[in-house]
Amino acid sequence: MNAALAAGKNLLVTPGVYHLNQTLNITRPDTVVLGMGLATLVPDGGITAISTADVDGIELAGLLVDAGTTNSGTLVQIGPSGSTASHASDPTQLSDVFVRIGGATVGKATNSLVINSANTIIDHTWIWRADHGNSGTVGWTTNTADTGLIVNGANVTAYGLFVEHFQKTQVVWNGNGGRTYFFQNEMPYDPPNQASWMNGSGKGYPAYKVAANVTTHEAWGLGSYCYFSSNSSVVADHSFEVPSVSGVKFHDMVTVSLGGVGTISHIINNTGGPSNSSTNVAYLTNYP
């Protein structure tokens, strides 16, 4: 596959499970990698499954990246670290690109999807640490995974972003100008106790964090749910964490304690909520 990419070809990946012994390196602008029947890529030996150059117009679609048994630092990386080029006229797009850790095998990955290239479009992406699957493939110390999505590039847009069950902050947005239209999240079901799920002195980790240095970001339609089935006394301080600046705006948020199993104390920062055994659902229309 790398030889074909290096020769300037696009890839049509037929249905199946493909174990990778080297990273798929996409360097040519406007390259298309299209999976059929949810073609599955498994990075062996802790490698990154897909890495792209900071170029215009790459199209990735119809793929599942399934973490391998050796921990990968990153599973999919769009643009190298420090990418700064504008791609406003011809952005890279990920459509129906899914990432899973555990469930089929004992997958492990520190970060699942890292977006460094500016103007990237994320179109219907489910990134999840499996909460169930084949016997022995899930568990707090089994399918370990810190973060689902890290966005470092500027002016990145997500449509239909689903990120679930990661053990630390699920989405970390470091780039300016980001926009998200619909976000769905479930916190990890399986923290064994509060001490195992602490962010410094804070209880739990947010589902979606906009970094403190960001000055412009906007998101619409966001839901975050807890179901701390391993220990219902576990608490998350909040689902959304953002800097208190006028250019960062969130609209139409909901938090839910499913069946009252666990607590989300606030919706965003110290505002809204709680969702707990007494009040399962909490809403907030706008922040600030």
Side-chain angles (χ1 to χ4, degrees):
M1 288 192 281
N2 268 334
L5 290 168
K9 298 181 182 295
N10 300 317
L11 293 182
L12 179 65
V13 188
T14 55
V17 178
Y18 300 85
H19 284 262
L20 305 178
N21 61 10
Q22 57 183 261
T23 300
L24 291 184
N25 288 304
I26 304 171
T27 60
R28 179 176 59 85
D30 300 314
T31 297
V32 175
V33 179
L34 175 63
M36 299 176 65
L38 210 59
T40 299
L41 307 177
V42 181
D44 291 333
I47 65 172
T48 296
I50 300 173
S51 181
T52 78
D54 190 28
V55 296
D56 283 351
I58 293 169
E59 299 275 352
L60 305 179
L63 297 168
L64 171 63
V65 176
D66 213 352
T69 56
T70 301
N71 187 76
S72 291
T74 299
L75 291 172
V76 180
Q77 179 171 296
I78 306 302
S81 178
S83 295
T84 58
S86 173
H87 306 288
S89 63
D90 188 11
T92 286
Q93 182 165 313
L94 285 68
S95 296
D96 299 329
V97 173
F98 308 121
V99 181
R100 177 175 63 176
I101 296 92
T105 59
V106 180
K108 298 176 183 290
T110 305
N111 302 311
S112 288
L113 173 60
V114 177
I115 306 288
N116 294 315
S117 288
N119 310 105
T120 298
I121 296 171
I122 304 168
D123 173 26
H124 186 221
T125 291
W126 185 19
I127 308 167
W128 81 106
R129 172 181 168 262
D131 60 299
H132 62 274
N134 292 336
S135 177
T137 65
V138 299
W140 189 250
T141 59
T142 302
N143 59 326
T144 53
D146 285 358
T147 300
L149 171 65
I150 299 174
V151 178
N152 297 317
N155 304 313
V156 171
T157 302
Y159 301 96
L161 176 61
F162 303 79
V163 183
E164 298 188 304
H165 307 302
F166 286 87
Q167 294 173 294
K168 293 186 178 179
T169 304
Q170 318 247 334
V171 173
V172 179
W173 210 296
N174 297 315
N176 267 307
R179 290 175 179 262
T180 294
Y181 300 88
F182 188 79
F183 171 73
Q184 190 272 337
N185 162 261
E186 289 183 356
M187 292 179 169
Y189 286 0
D190 54 344
N193 49 55
Q194 192 69 63
S196 300
W197 200 50
M198 294 290 290
N199 184 11
S201 60
K203 294 179 179 179
Y205 290 81
Y208 189 121
K209 177 180 178 178
V210 179
N213 62 296
V214 171
T215 57
T216 57
H217 186 97
E218 197 157 6
W220 294 262
L222 305 101
S224 177
Y225 310 83
C226 76
Y227 182 71
F228 298 132
S229 57
S230 293
N231 188 328
S232 62
S233 69
V234 170
V235 174
D237 282 341
H238 46 243
S239 286
F240 307 104
E241 183 177 323
V242 303
S244 296
V245 295
S246 60
V248 176
K249 302 174 183 179
F250 275 54
H251 312 282
D252 300 315
M253 293 160 278
V254 61
T255 57
V256 181
S257 175
L258 294 167
V261 181
T263 297
I264 302 172
S265 295
H266 297 288
I267 296 175
I268 186 167
N269 294 349
N270 293 318
T271 299
S275 293
N276 55 26
S277 58
S278 299
T279 307
N280 295 165
V281 183
Y283 299 98
L284 186 63
T285 303
N286 290 298
Y287 184 90

